[in-house]
């Protein structure tokens, strides 16, 4: 099977993106993507999504068509679509991270590298920096963002609003 990587960004249409909604998206997408052999990462920063999808070109483009039609996404913009020799996000059939929930040191690292304003880490415009941003998000989000390392696991962290 020939592999492809698709990266897009979009704006969340809901005024409030809750951790519960993000977990629901991850659960549903993870199951559906696993059946198709699609892997990837969905990053939320402020009210912007950045997502990478890896898998067969046919399955990835079909999924992107569904995403474009999904009312939770507005202003969908294709960043890049290209053939790849190997996956970079093969650990998950889908992983969702909300950069709002990063601990201070991890947040500071992302802001130092990519900039930010009013607590929102900026998504770069350059496609190579976008790929680096996704790899950094993968690295700094090695734990579930709504269960920070000092979380006792009893409940998700406080719900957040994007803005």
């Amino acid at each position: 099977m020939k592999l492809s990587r698709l990266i897009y960004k979009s704006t969340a249409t809901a005024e409030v993106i809750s951790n519960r909604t993000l977990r629901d998206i991850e659960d549903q997408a993870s199951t559906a993507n696993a059946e198709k052999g699609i892997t990837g990462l969905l990053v939320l920063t402020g009210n912007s999504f950045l997502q990478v999808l890896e898998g067969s070109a046919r399955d990835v483009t079909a999924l992107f068509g569904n995403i474009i039609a999904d009312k939770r996404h507005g202003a969908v913009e294709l960043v890049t679509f290209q053939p790849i020799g190997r996956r970079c996000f093969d650990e998950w059939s889908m992983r969702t991270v909300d950069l709002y929930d990063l601990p201070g040191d991890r947040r500071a690292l992302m802001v130092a590298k990519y900039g930010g304003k009013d607590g929102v880490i900026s998504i770069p415009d350059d496609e190579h920096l976008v790929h680096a941003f996704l790899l950094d998000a993968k690295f700094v989000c090695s734990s579930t963002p709504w269960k920070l390392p000092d979380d006792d696991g009893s409940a998700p962290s406080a719900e957040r609003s994007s803005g």
Side-chain angles (χ1 to χ4, degrees), residues 8 10-14 16-34 40-44 47-53 63 66-67 70-73 92-98 146 160:
Y8 75 90
S10 67
T11 302
T13 56
V16 175
I17 300 294
S18 70
N19 286 331
R20 179 163 311 285
T21 300
L22 291 175
R23 286 191 302 273
D24 290 345
I25 290 170
E26 180 177 28
D27 290 344
Q28 293 168 2
S30 183
T31 300
N33 290 355
L41 175 67
L42 174 67
V43 176
L44 176 67
N47 68 343
S48 296
F49 287 118
L50 180 65
Q51 186 168 22
V52 56
L53 302 167
L63 177 54
N66 293 340
I67 290 165
D70 188 329
K71 295 188 185 312
R72 294 174 293 194
H73 296 274
W92 316 292
S93 50
M94 180 47 57
R95 174 71 189 263
T96 306
V97 295
D98 183 351
W146 47 85
R160 48 92 72 204

Side-chain angles (χ1 to χ4, degrees), residues 23 43-45 75 87-88 90 97 100 104 113-114 123 135 149:
R23 286 191 302 273
V43 176
L44 176 67
T45 180
R87 299 175 193 248
C88 290
D90 57 347
V97 295
Y100 179 85
K113 287 184 84 171
Y114 302 104
I123 297 172
L135 290 171

